[in-house]
Amino acid sequence: MVDKFPFDVPKEYSDKPLLKGRATVEMKVKIKDNPNFDDIVFQLILDGYNAPVTAGNFVDLVERHFYDGMEIQRADGFVVQTGDPEGPAEGFVDPGTGKIRTIPLEIMVDGDRSPIYGATLEELGRYKAQTKLPFNAFGTMAMARDEFQNNSASSQVFWLLKESEVTPSRSNILDGRYAVFGYVTENQDYLADLKVGDVIESIRVVSGIDNL
């Protein structure tokens, strides 16, 4: 139980949507070319205690219905990914500014009191540090970004189809490089059945919206 939010988000990011707590989200996906089912509903738990900027950005986009009607854009057996809108922009264009809204890389480390922003653990030389939200489960949810620009994440998200041999827990190339902010907690096994072209019918917040 947490009486109040345990740390202050840096001032340069405090004007972005922040999730100061947890939220539960349901994602309904329309399945094409599968005789066994027409759609699947996934439950996602988002952790704003350890990733308030990243989770807040996603919840804000959900509330804007940004993902509704969007297709699954990558499904290669390693990850499932979506969030790249139609048109030249590769992220969410903020109607208030007319520019793509980006968020910083946000990593919470075990033992730290607040997240690290804008740098990978490798860049900081913290090779033995363990992240609070690791890539340790099938359905780990994280922000996609430009490989060489830490603070370029906007709206593209991916779910890891974890295999212990390829992405061993606590010792893989993803932890500390990409910002995890939640996990699929219901029907996660069906992520492996998603294909490029399947359509996200809707994503909605079912609890925790008051934490935004």
Side-chain angles (χ1 to χ4, degrees):
M1 301 298 292
V2 179
D3 293 328
K4 65 176 183 176
F5 200 69
F7 58 86
D8 292 326
V9 173
K11 188 173 297 184
E12 60 263 42
Y13 309 127
S14 61
D15 62 338
K16 298 184 182 296
L18 304 175
L19 184 69
K20 293 190 171 183
R22 293 194 176 91
T24 302
V25 174
E26 285 187 353
M27 178 174 71
K28 184 177 182 181
V29 181
K30 180 73 173 178
I31 307 300
K32 296 180 178 180
D33 303 323
N34 191 320
N36 296 317
F37 33 71
D38 293 326
D39 52 53
I40 304 172
V41 177
F42 300 93
Q43 184 180 88
L44 292 61
I45 303 296
L46 311 181
D47 188 344
Y49 285 120
N50 291 300
V53 177
T54 313
N57 177 73
F58 181 77
V59 171
D60 177 69
L61 293 176
V62 168
E63 288 294 284
R64 295 172 183 267
H65 303 284
F66 176 83
Y67 298 100
D68 294 0
M70 189 172 287
E71 293 185 351
I72 299 299
Q73 296 156 349
R74 177 183 174 186
D76 56 9
F78 180 60
V79 300
V80 171
Q81 185 167 320
T82 191
D84 185 1
E86 292 185 1
E90 295 183 349
F92 167 66
V93 177
D94 190 328
T97 64
K99 300 178 180 179
I100 294 178
R101 184 176 78 192
T102 59
I103 57 173
L105 178 63
E106 182 178 45
I107 306 291
M108 178 70 95
V109 173
D110 274 340
D112 287 3
R113 299 187 66 179
S114 60
I116 294 166
Y117 290 94
T120 68
L121 296 186
E122 183 180 20
E123 290 168 345
L124 296 173
R126 301 185 65 178
Y127 302 108
K128 295 183 179 181
Q130 302 292 334
T131 58
K132 275 281 188 72
L133 300 177
F135 285 91
N136 68 349
F138 197 94
T140 301
M141 184 176 186
M143 294 300 298
R145 62 173 178 83
D146 185 303
E147 182 180 0
F148 302 106
Q149 298 182 38
N150 293 341
N151 297 339
S152 60
S154 177
S155 59
Q156 296 189 46
V157 299
F158 68 90
W159 294 270
L160 177 69
L161 306 182
K162 178 179 168 59
E163 293 184 15
S164 297
E165 296 79 10
V166 179
T167 50
S169 296
R170 302 292 187 178
S171 59
N172 58 71
I173 62 171
L174 299 176
D175 282 332
R177 285 188 174 184
Y178 292 89
V180 174
F181 62 99
Y183 298 89
V184 180
T185 57
E186 288 186 11
N187 289 332
Q188 60 267 37
D189 290 344
Y190 289 110
L191 284 168
D193 294 308
L194 298 185
K195 296 179 176 61
V196 172
D198 290 341
V199 177
I200 298 172
E201 291 190 339
S202 64
I203 306 182
R204 65 187 185 96
V205 181
V206 295
S207 67
I209 190 61
D210 53 325
N211 292 324
L212 183 66

